[in-house]
Amino acid sequence: THTLLSVEQAAKIVRQEGLPEEEALLVMAAELAHDLGKPTTTKLDESGRTRSFSHEEAGVPLTKSLLGRMQLPHKLTCAAASLVAEHMWILNMYRQVELGQNVTEKAIRRLAQRLKEPANIRLLSYVCQADADGRGPSSEPYQGPAWMRRQAELLAVLEQEPKDLIRGQQLIELGLQPGPEFHSIIDLANQLRDDRGLVAAFGAEAR
């Protein structure tokens, strides 16, 4: 079946990348569970094609239930569920790229925020690659995961959430008094970065 083939491909990636134990377990668990939502979402469309819209979201509670019964640590279970929830994201976005459409920096940053630590975009790309490779031989290797890793690395979100554009200390250096409004200012700066390409006047994003 596709799931078994995908799990085999995930194991191959784990070996090739030399993933540490926790990352290996996370990728394998997510791959095992990635299509659990299909039985309840698969239908025939008007053209007679089989579709499984939103199966990734439907699979989240099933993933948590399965991995819970397998006694995976709660943190890894939640992380794997977030990978399952997002496992179609790269495929969908790369289709846009192939059609000449733009994928925004904001969309990629938001993806990084939705993944539950220790999951990250790099590990998601491995899950996606195994999913694609588990569909059988192809004339050309699927390039979506590699594209995703390049884009995420450019935005410094390959293995972490996006950092704030400015820090509280920098606001203090501008003469502002610390207070609850700092959060609103930082959130606004991040929003302007995502929506309008704002760049920090301090020379780099907050570190």
Side-chain angles (χ1 to χ4, degrees), residues 175-207:
L176 300 180
Q177 294 297 317
E181 64 275 9
F182 270 27
H183 294 292
S184 298
I185 295 172
I186 292 171
D187 288 344
L188 178 59
N190 291 338
Q191 182 178 340
L192 289 173
R193 173 193 61 194
D194 291 339
D195 294 343
R196 302 185 184 182
L198 180 69
V199 177
F202 300 96
E205 293 189 5
R207 299 184 182 277

Side-chain angles (χ1 to χ4, degrees), residues 22-36 55-68 70 72-88 114-120 123-124 127-128:
E22 183 178 68
E23 290 188 353
L25 180 58
L26 182 51
V27 168
M28 295 298 295
E31 201 64 46
L32 176 66
H34 79 283
D35 277 347
L36 286 177
H55 74 277
E56 56 272 36
E57 290 92 346
V60 168
L62 299 173
T63 297
K64 291 181 177 179
S65 176
L66 173 64
L67 300 184
M70 294 173 65
L72 256 69
H74 179 71
K75 184 176 182 179
L76 287 185
T77 294
C78 292
S82 73
L83 290 172
V84 170
E86 303 296 343
H87 81 270
M88 294 295 292
R114 291 194 300 272
L115 295 172
K116 304 299 183 184
E117 198 272 331
N120 55 47
L123 298 183
L124 177 65
V127 172
C128 179

